[in-house]
Structure formats: C-alpha cells, structure tokens
Amino acid sequence: MDSMNIDQLSQREAGDPASLPAHLVAQAQRRPAAVALRFKRLGIWHERSWRALAVDVGAAAAALEADGFRAGDVLSLLGQPTPEALVLMLAAQWLGGVVAPLDVALSPDGLAAALRELEPRVVLGEDQEQVDRLLAAGFSGTRLLYADGRGLHRYTEAALMAYADWAAPAARRDVPVLRARPTDSALRYHTHGTWDGGAPGDASHAEVLAAAARLVRTARLDARDEAFAGRRFAPASVVRYLVAAWLLGGFCFNIAESPESRDRDRREIAPTLVLGSAQTYVRLRERIVARLPLPSEGWRGRLAQRALTGGRAGWLAQLLILRPLRDVVGLGRVRTAIVVGGAAQEDVVAFYRALGVTLQPWPAADVLAAAEAPDDLGRLLAVWVAP
C-alpha cells in the first residue's frame, strides 16, 4: 500500500471526522509517528504507529473489496483480541460494513444461530479451534480468515485463507474510498448474548462515537494514556466503548500475548487505563490477595492486612506493601480504572481504594440521567479489555 495513498486520503478526509475509520485517518494525519498499537508475539513487543496502522487498514479494506465486501455486509470475529482483528474491524467499517463480534463462549447451537442471523460475508477465526467451530456451525460466506495457521495446513476449504497471505496482495492496490457515514451501522450485537431469539441491536458510527466521547471527557483520556487489553474476548461492549475512545483519544492500545501472560504483560506495560466488569476486578483482587503474606507469617502480613482492610496505611505500608504491590500487578500507573456495567460491590471498591486505585463506574450516574439506559453491558463484557 503506497503511503502516498494515505496522504491523499488524509487530505480528502480533512475536516471533522464522523466515523471510526475517519478518526483513524485523522490520528494518522495529526500524529503519524506516535505509537497506536502495541502487541506481544513470542515474548517480544511489536509496535505500529498511527500512520502504519492506517496503511494496514487501507490495505485490508482493499482486500475486502476484492472479495466482494460491500456497504452493509457483515464481518464477524471469533477469537481473542489480535492486531488482525482490530485492522479487519476498521477495514470493514471503512467500506460501510458492519462488525459483529462473536462471544467465544457461544455453544455450538448458539454459534450456528449467530451465523444464520448475521450471514457474515467474511469471518476471522483466530486459530484452528475457532476455524473448526465456524466450519461445524455452517459458515457459508465468501472468506474465512485465520491469524494462527498451526494445524490448518491440510484444510482444503476454498474460503479458508491465512490472514497474512490474504492481505499481502492488497499492498499493491489503491486505498478504496472511505464509505463509512455517521448514520451507518458500525456494530451489531445481541443484548442477551444469544442469537437464537430476539432481534440484534445496531449502533451507528455517530452513536458509538458519542458514547466514547462521553467516556473520554469523563475519564480525561488523552494521547498520554496506555490502555491494556487482556486476552479475553468481549463481544460488542469494548468495541463500543474502548476502541472508539482509543480512536478519539489517540492513546496507545496494548494487547497481551495470552491469558497466562496477561499479569506479566500488564506489569511490563504499566497501563494508565484499565476497563473491565465488576467481576474483572473481583478476579484481580483474588490474584492480588494470593500474593500477600498471611497475618500469621509475621509483621509484613499483619501490616498488609491492616493496610488493605480499612486500617490506616502509613508511610511504612505505602513503602513496603502498597507501592510494590501496585507495581507487581501492573497498576502502579493506573490513573483511570473503569467499571463497565453493574457497579462493583463496596468491599471491592474499598479494597482498591486502600490499594490507591479508585474504581470509576461507567456509565456514570449523571450520564445515565441524560441518556438512554445502557444495554446489558455486564453480560456482554466478558471481558476483552481486562486486568
């Protein structure tokens, strides 16, 4: 993909961006060398600048267009968060398409129902496990892509293709016209997490961006922030809130390598922004508590218990317990810890307050008073972005 095409596109899209991919182009124009995306592969962190990411998305849009993907068509994603998933998501929306993330926890019948309801033209399955599930569920679209090809070399399905092989020829094509409009559906989701009953919901680019703008303002997010994405897939909610906020705020999006490495990866990144459900913070509290010495194990254990259970945390507790504990679990720089969906229990809020981290519910009460009730985010947020 010739970078000149991106320059020409930036000039063509200059002004007030009104769609998710248009905000990507705006970031590439304003801050081309800044790091937009950081992800880990085989133990090594890799980075993509806003300009490089825009080139990747433009190339993927050209590849989708070559596969017959048109405005109104559906792209589905099944698997853990990957750079390929983010690029494809924005590429489909670039062409006026709709993104429908699928929950990896769907049953075989639920996945088959989702494919019947959505009729996606293109699906990204992360690896052999997800490809097998999609084929068994009756995928009948144009293209079934995968990011990890281990175990797939003997498969002969005509629609099946490695993402890297699929995207490579598009580097020689021109960037398609950016067709996304503010009123176009950007996201399709089911508020109850199932696709075998009831109509799905759609959110337009304008709606997604408006919700993200409220989050950016409330949490005071900007380009200095670092968001961390744990390796658990959330369906629509994170796309609706965090991805859009990332494109608006221009901060760096960090993706962990695996569920097993997420604690270490979060510690290495030391994010300033964490977003998750109430249960996310319960799980993290359990892992934190497991690291603490017991009160019966000496003065450090008694000091930790007093500091984290409502007792006064003096300078000694801060120096020897709380500050090192925040650092070792990757919360040392957290400025914004957002709870999406149902509120966290008071004992959980108090635990993090003692640790020096304030949990901020979202949508906040003042936002709910001025806007429609949110969809069932507690059910949808499984969580893609999570401690």
Side-chain angles (χ1 to χ4, degrees), residues 201-277:
D202 275 32
S204 70
H205 287 268
E207 290 169 335
V208 171
L209 288 168
R214 291 195 293 269
L215 177 57
V216 168
R217 288 195 302 271
T218 301
R220 300 187 301 277
L221 303 177
D222 59 32
R224 295 168 294 180
D225 282 300
E226 297 270 352
F228 179 77
R231 293 279 292 178
R232 292 181 59 116
F233 191 85
S237 300
V238 171
V239 180
R240 186 167 186 173
Y241 289 97
L242 190 79
V243 171
W246 166 56
L247 295 170
L248 282 172
F251 49 81
C252 181
F253 199 113
N254 299 278
I255 300 178
E257 182 168 21
S258 69
E260 295 74 25
S261 72
R262 63 182 175 182
D263 286 344
R264 180 177 64 252
D265 295 344
R266 185 178 57 250
R267 183 168 62 250
E268 292 173 359
I269 293 299
T272 61
L273 169 62
V274 173
L275 181 148
S277 68

Side-chain angles (χ1 to χ4, degrees), residues 17 58 66 86 91-92 119 159 171 173 177 194 203 228 237 260 269 346-347 361 387:
L86 279 176
E119 297 182 340
R173 300 188 182 111
V177 173
T194 62
F228 179 77
S237 300
E260 295 74 25
I269 293 299
E346 181 54 39
D347 63 317

Side-chain angles (χ1 to χ4, degrees), residues 295-349:
S296 60
E297 293 177 348
W299 65 270
R300 285 179 179 269
R302 293 191 295 272
L303 186 63
Q305 183 185 46
R306 186 164 64 249
L308 291 171
T309 56
R312 183 178 179 182
W315 66 269
L316 189 61
Q318 285 288 345
L319 180 65
L320 298 180
I321 303 294
L322 299 181
R323 189 179 302 165
L325 189 57
R326 285 195 300 268
D327 290 340
V328 80
V329 297
L331 299 179
R333 292 203 307 145
V334 166
R335 188 170 58 84
T336 305
I338 297 171
V339 185
V340 182
Q345 296 294 320
E346 181 54 39
D347 63 317
V348 177
V349 174

Side-chain angles (χ1 to χ4, degrees), residues 1 39 41 52 66 92 139 142 162 185 191 197 207 216 246 259 267 283 292 308 320 340 362 373 379 381:
M1 181 68 63
F39 58 96
R41 291 270 167 86
F139 171 74
T142 302
S185 292
T191 57
E207 290 169 335
V216 168
W246 166 56
R267 183 168 62 250
R283 289 194 297 266
L292 295 174
L308 291 171
L320 298 180
V340 182
W362 184 263
R379 171 63 184 84
L381 197 64

